[in-house]
Amino acid sequence: MRYIVLLLIIIPAAEIGLLLLSGKTIGIWTTITLIILTGLLGAYLAKQQGLDTIRKAQHLLQSGQMPGDVLLDGVCIIIGGTLLLTPGFITDATGFLLLAPPTRKFFKIILSKAFQNWMNKGRIKIIK
């Protein structure tokens, strides 16, 4: 939990600094345009990939398979889309990494290990 509090302080401060630097370097209107474009592109990508992920999960469930890997894709897509809607270049870069299938594999490994760790510690309970 303490790491989340640190991230909630450090990331916005870094974003503000980078936005101020960007506004000074490439101009205010260019910076604002980039922020709006990445938000729109992020929303579009998240919607497309989210719908594809839902279809894959439904197909796997209909064929009697567990959609564990697809659910991790969904979590990455939700987080990535949210980060892309958040103004800032750091969150945008992280959001695009979460939405891109080749780089999403790295984040899925981290999420899988985190969920496994939480289950082993009893923080998450599977109800059957």
Side-chain angles (χ1 to χ4, degrees), residues 5 33 35 41 46 48 68 75 81 84-86 88 90 93 95 107:
V5 172
T33 303
I35 291 170
L41 181 62
Q48 291 300 107
V75 170
L84 281 166
L85 290 174
T86 306
I90 298 169
F107 292 102

Side-chain angles (χ1 to χ4, degrees), residues 83-94:
L83 288 174
L84 281 166
L85 290 174
T86 306
F89 296 120
I90 298 169
T91 53
D92 287 347
T94 308

Side-chain angles (χ1 to χ4, degrees), residues 8 25 39 50 56 92-93 113 118 120 122:
L8 289 174
T25 305
K56 287 178 192 174
D92 287 347
K113 288 180 182 178
W118 291 334
N120 290 341

Side-chain angles (χ1 to χ4, degrees), residues 50-94:
L51 290 173
D52 288 342
T53 302
I54 289 171
R55 285 187 206 105
K56 287 178 192 174
Q58 287 175 339
H59 177 71
L60 286 173
L61 287 171
Q62 288 173 350
S63 63
Q65 299 173 354
M66 288 299 295
D69 193 51
V70 176
L71 290 177
L72 286 176
D73 277 332
V75 170
C76 288
I77 291 167
I78 289 171
I79 295 170
T82 303
L83 288 174
L84 281 166
L85 290 174
T86 306
F89 296 120
I90 298 169
T91 53
D92 287 347
T94 308

Side-chain angles (χ1 to χ4, degrees), residues 35-51:
I35 291 170
I36 291 170
L37 287 177
T38 57
L40 292 173
L41 181 62
Y44 174 77
L45 288 173
K47 179 182 175 185
Q48 291 300 107
Q49 291 187 10
L51 290 173

